[in-house]
Amino acid sequence: MDELVPSAKGRVVDDWRELFPSRPVDAPSYALDLVGPLIAHDERDCLFARHDLRPDSDRYQTYYARHPERQALDDELRSLPGLGGGEGPAVKALGDAIFASALLLGSEESVQGLPPAGGAGQRVQLPPEEAAAKVKGLAHLLGADLIGIGPLNPAFVYTHVGRTFYPEQRWGAPIVLDHPYAINLGIRMNVGGLMRTAPQYPVLLESANAYARGALIAVQVATYLRRLGYSARAHHLRNYQVLSVPVAVDGGLGELARCGFLVTREYGNCLRLATVTTDLPLATDAPVDLGVQHFCERCQVCAKECPAGAIPNGPKVEVHRLRKWALDAERCYRYWLETGSDCALCIVACPWSHWALGSRPEETEAPPAGSHLRPARRPNWLR
Ligand code: SF4
Ligand code: SF4
């Protein structure tokens, strides 16, 4: 890997992150890749929302009348075993139980509260710096590993509801979210555990757990903001209105990488995200330049390791007026549905995740006796 780090030649470095200092910048690194005003995404087009469509439903007819080119592929994906499908019921239920805890936290009442009886209450007045410090302190206390506050770019708000888990949600309803601020919460996963088990089912347990923890923290932070008298909404696995990755880039958590995930200096891409949006005025964090764009340009390890060929090894391409390394989400999701787990081979292959592990040696310990965690293959570059 030394060719990626020219300044490392001839030097001994304990942690290569030394060579990639986190540099606050005026504009996020993707700003250089904009080719025009961004086009917002419709959540109905995301693969998870499409996978939810039942063939006997009106929304199935409506969606594929509009997108007939996707119907055959989506029908085929729906016929695959699915997440946990290859496991016995006692093991599959482990993942179901963790996802169910996030489901408890995703109703409209949980994520945005009920309108206060008698109208809006008194707003507690706080200087933006003090408000940001309080919010970060609370999120840290609750267990968030990374917290960054940024502006909420309306282009990163979904245009229409695509996933519905609760009776009050209406598929296809336009989304109106005018909060100017986004609080980004990074929940790290156990990178050592993922390295031992990817791409098998325990990966799903780890990511579901990170999502569930993020959901709880986001709901608690949003509730705090409403108690201060402001509007606030939690966005998490079971109720998103925003694209968490670019919003987190704007909030200074890291950069968008070749693998399609956020890469952070602290945990690589080994984390899950939740978001809180609000109208409470908050001091914001600057976006950061970690050198990820330059690094990913040459690295390509995740593209080589991806068993589905979903990560491009070529240049960035234009998607919704942004030039980016475009993950082939259909290939990736097919692999998940075939293997029954959410894979994570691109996470365990990424050098930034390995640097993160170096700072947490406890995560290299063997799994507890009797654990169902099983050894996994190692990425090529580690063999
Ligand atoms: S999760 Fe697995 S299949 Fe999906 S992009 Fe990463 S390595 Fe490829
Ligand atoms: S494995 Fe390499 S190319 Fe892929 S995201 Fe990580 S640094 Fe970028």
Side-chain angles (χ1 to χ4, degrees):
M1 303 294 288
D2 274 0
E3 72 277 12
L4 298 179
V5 193
S7 55
K9 283 179 183 160
R11 288 180 56 197
V12 176
V13 286
D14 294 329
D15 181 344
W16 283 357
R17 283 177 297 182
E18 287 173 33
L19 302 164
F20 296 95
S22 178
R23 202 163 55 84
V25 286
D26 291 337
S29 50
Y30 68 75
L32 293 172
D33 291 320
L34 288 170
V35 293
L38 286 163
I39 301 171
H41 291 248
D42 184 335
E43 196 192 22
R44 290 174 293 184
D45 293 331
C46 96
L47 266 177
F48 297 115
R50 285 154 52 189
H51 196 75
D52 291 344
L53 295 170
R54 295 293 122 216
D56 56 355
S57 66
D58 289 345
R59 60 180 71 170
Y60 178 98
Q61 303 296 340
T62 303
Y63 187 79
Y64 293 113
R66 199 179 303 146
H67 294 287
E69 76 284 2
R70 292 178 175 162
Q71 186 170 3
L73 171 86
D74 290 0
D75 283 344
E76 191 196 341
L77 294 182
R78 270 185 288 269
S79 73
L80 295 173
L83 297 178
E87 307 293 334
V91 172
K92 182 175 183 302
L94 297 170
D96 294 345
I98 305 173
F99 282 126
S101 61
L103 191 62
L104 290 172
L105 296 162
S107 67
E108 291 300 305
E109 183 177 350
S110 297
V111 297
Q112 64 178 354
L114 296 174
Q122 191 74 24
R123 291 186 152 191
V124 176
Q125 299 301 316
L126 287 169
E129 289 74 18
E130 187 181 337
K134 284 192 163 39
V135 166
K136 289 179 178 178
L138 175 63
H140 180 70
L141 173 80
L142 295 170
D145 297 294
L146 288 180
I147 308 150
I149 299 174
L152 177 61
N153 184 337
F156 298 143
V157 178
Y158 283 124
T159 59
H160 296 83
V161 174
R163 302 201 78 189
T164 56
F165 297 99
Y166 311 93
E168 68 270 22
Q169 290 177 309
R170 197 164 55 79
W171 183 82
I175 292 175
V176 179
L177 182 69
D178 53 7
H179 292 155
Y181 300 98
I183 302 151
N184 301 282
L185 307 167
I187 315 298
R188 76 174 173 90
M189 296 189 287
N190 181 325
V191 62
L194 295 189
M195 285 179 187
R196 286 193 299 274
T197 59
Q200 298 158 350
Y201 189 68
V203 168
L204 188 80
L205 305 185
E206 182 63 21
S207 57
N209 189 25
Y211 277 127
R213 288 187 288 132
L216 179 58
I217 298 168
V219 166
Q220 289 172 306
V221 170
T223 304
Y224 169 65
L225 299 174
R226 291 196 294 273
R227 291 292 172 103
L228 295 179
Y230 296 84
S231 174
R233 190 182 206 286
H235 306 262
H236 63 74
L237 180 68
R238 288 294 173 254
N239 198 326
Y240 284 112
Q241 289 189 344
V242 300
L243 297 168
S244 288
V245 171
V247 173
V249 173
D250 286 350
L253 254 56
E255 290 186 62
L256 181 60
R258 179 183 289 276
C259 60
F261 290 107
L262 179 82
V263 162
T264 68
R265 189 168 187 274
E266 294 82 357
Y267 304 112
N269 54 7
C270 193
L271 76 172
R272 295 294 187 228
L273 297 170
T275 313
V276 178
T277 58
T278 183
D279 62 1
L280 168 67
L282 293 164
T284 55
D285 299 295
V288 290
D289 179 355
L290 307 177
V292 168
Q293 305 310 304
H294 172 72
F295 196 96
C296 288
E297 190 74 55
R298 303 180 184 196
C299 168
Q300 303 182 6
V301 164
C302 55
K304 292 183 188 118
E305 287 295 322
C306 173
I311 300 175
N313 57 10
K316 296 177 179 177
V317 297
E318 184 181 331
V319 181
H320 286 217
R321 301 215 180 108
L322 176 66
R323 293 189 71 256
K324 59 188 259 192
W325 290 294
L327 178 77
D328 186 331
E330 289 164 359
R331 283 182 177 226
C332 171
Y333 197 42
R334 177 192 293 275
Y335 185 77
W336 291 13
L337 297 171
E338 285 171 347
T339 58
S341 175
D342 56 355
C343 181
L345 286 173
C346 50
I347 294 176
V348 303
C350 182
W352 296 80
S353 297
H354 288 266
W355 295 333
L357 182 62
S359 62
R360 287 193 302 286
E362 73 281 2
E363 292 186 3
T364 63
E365 288 173 8
S371 163
H372 59 281
L373 299 182
R374 290 161 290 186
R377 72 190 183 95
R378 306 278 282 165
N380 278 333
W381 71 276
L382 282 178
R383 281 184 197 132

